[in-house]
């Protein structure tokens, strides 16, 4: 897959650079804040090779790529004339309305996504140090241990500073003022001054003792308030004085407010959440495991799992352990097990390879490729994964299995997080999650994709070569491919199609037909490899390896199958002229949709050019164009 071309396609399909307010990425997704989500071509993006899925959550437009997302992100940024952070996401907040819950999840994910590498790396190191200490490979009094521990603890101890930067960036305010606010409350003098039992006041107002090291909620609230103060001061300050006045007044207001009110309130909220989770698992462990374990994959789909990150960090900072991380691991291992179950069950070599590779990736803690590319695609494996997560989640919760550090992904790479007194139960839970999900997937089954085999040598005229099976995906030397008209009507250039995915030849090359009749026949001898549920799109592969798409109308997917009557099913072998679909042209147009129908070759990388037959009007089975190898 050409990552450079994929990035260009994505840039066009999200509405172009001018529609991008901000773009970041996490482990598997490009996360866009778009000026207008409606300008993004979500349907075409979903069908773009290299894109595993598209979703909108909390105002974010997310394009799921998989493991290659950093490469695609860098290519995308390289194709933009401005920095993706040149215009802060907060600037468009007044023009976009979203419900408060979505706004909270968008805020939390936007804050924590950029800092995950820092806390993941530090957490992994803490886990490794704990492992070395457990096996006696390092002395707890040695300078090596002290230095390694400091490296691992640093990102967590000074988390308010890191979060100050990330939160300010998300809110569109000055990142370094955010860092200064975090640094102020972490100053050694302030830390000593706020020790429990000390009576502290500021201009006569009492300052409540609070520990800010490793805290999350106090700095989030403080920077949120600072963003309003900073903008308010900026508005009333003369340009020549902004550099001095704005940061000075912001710090002078926010740091005392944080120490007097926000800090204690944030600590109370954070401790309340931590204590609530702790109470739930201590008093209803089995039920908690059933509920949270089964829901984790659904939370990951929506991006809501980021809302639990502050709770996880708070639990480990205050209690020394966390109950939620093992449940996230169970959900991830269950997704891996289902993908591996698909690999065992499928008879299709491609599907076996895809599910095996994504299953291994999920074992390492990156589940989106397996979840979107395999399990949700075949539906029943995803159900099996949810059941596996419920059972394994209940098991680890019953035995109060804990994580002792936060860091690494919730997979095999995150094993150091769970090393401790409950480690054995965590390992058993992992085995249960993988095995149960794999077995359930195998038992429940799924609608497998027919195995692809090479086309047979034709021994009869061309019309009978439809008996050949679908060509294998392996690239072989292409032959010239004649494409006959699937519809009677007027031949149009793809540039006339009111959809950039076709008019700009993003999906492939060919021609369009404005139908005068409501019937589609096969333009080649080959196999139907896909038929959309709505009936508006038909995918075919010829006996000579040409992959084709016939797309009846634009945006007709919204009709949800109304006015379409399929005459074949996926996997059917067809010859030129065999009826594929009937549709009510007049009713579709009355509903407000154009019926112009692109007929394109989608694997154009195997062909040099498209040669038109030169017709302006055409009938079924007349030559439309030839793809020249």
């Amino acid at each position: 897959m050409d990552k450079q071309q994929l990035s260009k396609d994505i840039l066009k399909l999200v509405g172009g650079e001018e529609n991008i307010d901000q773009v970041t990425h996490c482990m598997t997704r490009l996360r866009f804040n778009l000026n207008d989500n409606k300008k993004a071509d979500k349907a075409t993006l979903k069908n773009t090779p290299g894109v595993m899925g598209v979703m909108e959550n909390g105002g974010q437009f997310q394009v799921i790529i998989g493991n290659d997302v950093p490469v695609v992100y860098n290519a995308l940024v390289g194709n933009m004339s401005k920095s993706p952070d040149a215009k802060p996401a907060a600037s468009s907040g007044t023009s976009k309305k979203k419900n408060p819950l979505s706004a909270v999840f968008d805020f939390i994910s936007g804050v924590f996504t950029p800092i995950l590498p820092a806390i993941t790396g530090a957490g992994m190191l803490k886990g490794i140090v704990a492992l070395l200490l457990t096996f006696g490979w390092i002395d707890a009094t040695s300078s090596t241990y002290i230095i390694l521990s400091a490296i691992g603890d640093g990102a967590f101890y000074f988390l308010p500073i890191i979060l100050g930067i990330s939160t300010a960036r998300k809110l569109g305010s000055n990142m370094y003022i955010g860092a200064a606010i975090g640094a102020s409350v972490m100053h050694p003098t302030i830390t000593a001054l706020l020790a429990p039992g000390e009576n502290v006041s500021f201009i006569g107002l009492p300052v409540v003792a609070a520990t800010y090291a490793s805290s999350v909620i106090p700095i989030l609230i403080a920077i949120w308030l600072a963003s309003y103060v900073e903008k308010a001061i900026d508005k009333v300050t003369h340009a020549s004085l902004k550099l001095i006045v704005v940061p000075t007044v912001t710090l002078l207001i926010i740091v005392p407010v944080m120490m007097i009110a926000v800090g204690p309130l944030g600590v109370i909220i954070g401790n309340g959440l931590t204590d609530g989770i702790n109470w739930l698992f201590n008093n209803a462990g089995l039920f908690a495991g059933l509920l949270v374990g089964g829901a984790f994959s659904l939370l990951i789909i929506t991006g809501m799992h980021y809302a639990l990150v502050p709770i996880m960090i708070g639990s480990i900072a205050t209690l020394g352990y966390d109950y939620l991380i093992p449940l996230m691991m169970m959900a991830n291992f269950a997704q891996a097990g289902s993908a591996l179950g698909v690999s065992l069950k499928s008879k299709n070599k491609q599907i076996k390879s895809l599910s095996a590779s994504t299953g291994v990736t999920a074992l390492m803690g990156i589940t989106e490729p397996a979840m979107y590319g395999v399990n949700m695609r075949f539906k029943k494996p995803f159900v099996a994964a949810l059941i596996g997560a419920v059972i394994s989640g209940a098991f680890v919760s019953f035995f109060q299995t804990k994580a002792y550090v936060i860091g690494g992904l919730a997979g095999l790479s995150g094993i150091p997080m769970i090393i401790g007194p409950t480690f054995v139960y965590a390992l058993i839970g992992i085995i249960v999650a993988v095995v149960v999900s794999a077995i359930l997937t195998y038992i429940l089954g799924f609608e497998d994709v027919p195995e692809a085999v090479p086309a047979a040598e034709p021994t009869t005229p061309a019309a009978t070569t439809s008996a050949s099976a679908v060509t294998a995906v392996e690239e072989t030397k292409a032959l010239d491919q004649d494409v006959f008209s699937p519809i009677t009507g007027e031949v149009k250039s793809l540039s006339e199609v009111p959809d950039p995915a076709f008019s700009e030849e993003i999906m492939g090359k060919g021609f369009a037909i404005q139908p005068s009749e409501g019937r589609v026949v096969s333009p080649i001898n080959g196999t139907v490899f896909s038929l959309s549920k709505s009936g508006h799109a038909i995918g075919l592969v010829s006996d000579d390896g040409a992959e084709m798409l016939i797309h009846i109308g634009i945006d007709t997917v919204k009709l949800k199958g109304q006015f379409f009557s399929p005459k074949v099913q996926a996997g059917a072998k067809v010859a030129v002229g065999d009826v594929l679909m009937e549709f009510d042209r007049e009713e579709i147009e009355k509903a407000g949709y154009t019926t112009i129908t692109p007929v394109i070759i989608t694997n154009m990388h195997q062909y040099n050019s498209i040669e038109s037959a030169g017709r302006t009007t055409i009938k079924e089975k007349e030559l439309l164009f030839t793809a020249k190898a």
Side-chain angles (χ1 to χ4, degrees):
M1 177 178 57
D2 186 342
K3 308 298 190 305
Q4 187 65 234
Q5 185 58 50
L6 176 59
S7 70
K8 291 179 181 178
D9 293 346
I10 293 172
L11 189 58
K12 289 180 182 178
L13 293 171
V14 297
E17 182 177 348
E18 63 278 3
N19 194 38
I20 298 176
D21 190 34
Q22 188 182 48
V23 57
T24 58
H25 75 88
C26 57
M27 297 300 294
T28 58
R29 311 179 192 190
L30 293 172
R31 294 173 174 268
F32 292 92
N33 287 92
L34 300 179
N35 294 319
D36 186 355
N37 283 6
K38 293 180 180 178
K39 290 183 179 179
D41 190 343
K42 193 172 180 181
T44 305
L45 263 173
K46 284 182 177 179
N47 294 319
T48 299
V51 174
M52 294 183 173
V54 178
M55 61 179 293
E56 293 180 60
N57 182 64
Q60 272 194 343
F61 190 88
Q62 302 172 8
V63 181
I64 301 158
I65 302 296
N67 297 342
D68 293 324
V69 70
V71 180
V72 176
Y73 172 80
N74 290 334
L76 181 110
V77 172
N79 289 323
M80 296 173 66
S81 60
K82 66 176 182 179
S83 165
D85 295 324
K87 184 180 179 183
S91 63
S92 60
T94 56
S95 62
K96 296 180 184 177
K97 292 183 179 179
K98 47 191 174 189
N99 67 67
L101 187 61
S102 293
V104 169
F105 289 134
D106 176 46
F107 171 68
I108 293 174
S109 66
V111 168
F112 281 94
T113 297
I115 71 169
L116 282 179
I119 61 177
T120 295
M124 275 296 293
L125 188 55
K126 284 169 65 71
I128 292 170
V129 171
L131 187 63
L132 295 174
L133 194 63
T134 299
F135 286 98
W137 296 337
I138 194 171
D139 188 346
T141 61
S142 68
S143 57
T144 300
Y145 171 81
I146 294 171
I147 292 171
L148 288 176
S149 296
I151 298 171
D153 288 334
F156 294 97
Y157 184 83
F158 292 103
L159 192 59
I161 299 175
I162 297 174
L163 281 174
I165 295 170
S166 184
T167 307
R169 173 183 173 276
K170 173 63 180 175
L171 294 172
S173 52
N174 191 292
M175 295 186 292
Y176 303 104
I177 294 178
I181 293 170
S184 297
V185 296
M186 291 301 298
H187 194 282
T189 303
I190 297 296
T191 301
L193 186 65
L194 296 181
E198 297 290 335
N199 293 321
V200 181
S201 64
F202 178 77
I203 58 172
L205 298 173
V207 176
V208 181
T211 302
Y212 293 100
S214 303
S215 66
V216 173
I217 294 177
I219 192 69
L220 293 180
I221 298 174
I223 303 302
W224 175 68
L225 292 173
S227 68
Y228 287 98
V229 172
E230 181 184 338
K231 290 167 187 174
I233 301 300
D234 184 80
K235 283 182 181 180
V236 299
T237 305
H238 189 273
S240 62
L241 299 174
K242 287 182 187 292
L243 181 62
I244 298 173
V245 174
V246 174
T248 303
V249 175
T250 302
L251 288 171
L252 195 57
I253 292 174
I254 292 300
V255 175
V257 167
M258 183 177 180
M259 296 172 63
I260 294 168
V262 172
L265 175 63
V267 170
I268 291 170
I269 294 172
N271 289 342
L273 291 172
T274 299
D275 292 342
I277 293 292
N278 194 45
W279 180 90
L280 179 64
F281 281 89
N282 285 334
N283 294 277
L286 186 64
F287 173 76
L290 287 167
L291 180 64
V292 182
F296 243 117
S297 290
L298 301 176
L299 293 177
I300 291 171
I301 291 173
T302 62
M304 290 168 60
H305 61 297
Y306 281 106
L308 300 175
V309 174
I311 299 175
M312 296 174 184
I313 294 174
S315 293
I316 290 177
T318 57
L319 303 175
Y321 58 81
D322 174 65
Y323 288 116
L324 294 174
I325 293 172
L327 291 177
M328 181 182 283
M329 296 182 76
M330 296 307 109
N332 286 357
F333 280 113
Q335 293 292 337
S338 286
L340 296 173
V342 171
S343 181
L344 292 172
K345 182 80 170 180
S346 177
K347 303 299 182 183
N348 185 306
K349 291 180 181 178
Q350 252 199 306
I351 300 301
K352 290 178 78 72
S353 175
L354 173 66
S355 53
S357 62
T358 57
V360 171
T361 302
L363 286 174
M364 298 307 296
I366 301 174
T367 58
E368 277 90 342
M371 193 183 303
Y372 290 98
V374 178
N375 297 341
M376 291 180 68
R377 173 183 175 184
F378 294 111
K379 298 180 180 64
K380 289 182 180 179
F382 185 70
V383 174
L386 295 182
I387 297 173
V390 165
I391 294 173
S392 58
F395 175 84
V396 296
S397 294
F398 181 77
F399 289 101
Q400 296 188 341
T401 306
K402 305 175 182 70
Y404 300 91
V405 296
I406 185 169
L409 299 172
L412 292 176
S413 62
I415 290 295
M417 294 191 293
I418 54 176
I419 293 176
T422 58
F423 182 54
V424 173
Y425 300 119
L427 289 182
I428 295 173
I430 289 170
I431 295 170
V432 170
V434 174
V435 173
V436 168
S437 300
I439 291 175
L440 281 175
T441 297
Y442 198 91
I443 293 172
L444 293 175
F446 50 88
E447 188 175 343
D448 201 4
V449 176
E451 174 65 280
V453 295
E457 284 292 326
T459 56
T460 56
T464 65
T465 61
S466 61
S468 304
V470 59
T471 54
V473 172
E474 294 89 6
E475 295 186 8
T476 57
K477 183 174 177 59
L479 302 173
D480 287 357
Q481 177 67 59
D482 287 335
V483 177
F484 299 89
S485 179
I487 301 176
T488 296
E490 185 178 355
V491 180
K492 301 282 188 179
S493 166
L494 283 181
S495 62
E496 297 182 57
V497 178
D499 186 325
F502 298 108
S503 62
E504 297 178 19
E505 298 186 338
I506 294 171
M507 298 285 289
K509 293 186 178 182
F511 289 87
I513 300 174
Q514 185 63 57
S516 58
E517 297 180 2
R519 189 170 83 154
V520 179
V521 301
S522 177
I524 46 90
N525 299 315
T527 304
V528 177
F529 71 81
S530 69
L531 181 66
S532 66
K533 289 183 179 180
S534 56
H536 74 290
I538 305 165
L540 304 120
V541 60
S542 77
D543 291 337
D544 291 325
E547 297 172 9
M548 297 194 60
L549 174 66
I550 302 172
H551 196 283
I552 307 166
I554 303 302
D555 288 335
T556 45
V557 64
K558 296 177 182 178
L559 292 171
K560 298 181 179 180
Q562 189 178 14
F563 311 130
F564 290 93
S565 177
K567 301 302 178 185
V568 293
Q569 295 181 342
K573 298 176 177 64
V574 292
V576 173
D578 287 351
V579 179
L580 304 178
M581 176 76 63
E582 290 180 353
F583 60 95
D584 194 324
R585 181 176 58 88
E586 293 180 355
E587 289 298 323
I588 292 173
E589 291 174 350
K590 284 181 183 178
Y593 299 91
T594 176
T595 55
I596 190 169
T597 300
V599 181
I600 61 174
I601 299 285
T602 56
N603 60 336
M604 275 304 298
H605 60 283
Q606 295 192 35
Y607 299 91
N608 292 321
S609 62
I610 293 292
E611 185 178 284
S612 172
R615 292 182 169 88
T616 55
T617 59
I618 200 165
K619 295 182 179 179
E620 292 176 1
K621 298 188 288 184
E622 290 183 340
L623 183 64
L624 177 61
F625 65 85
T626 300
K628 306 294 288 186

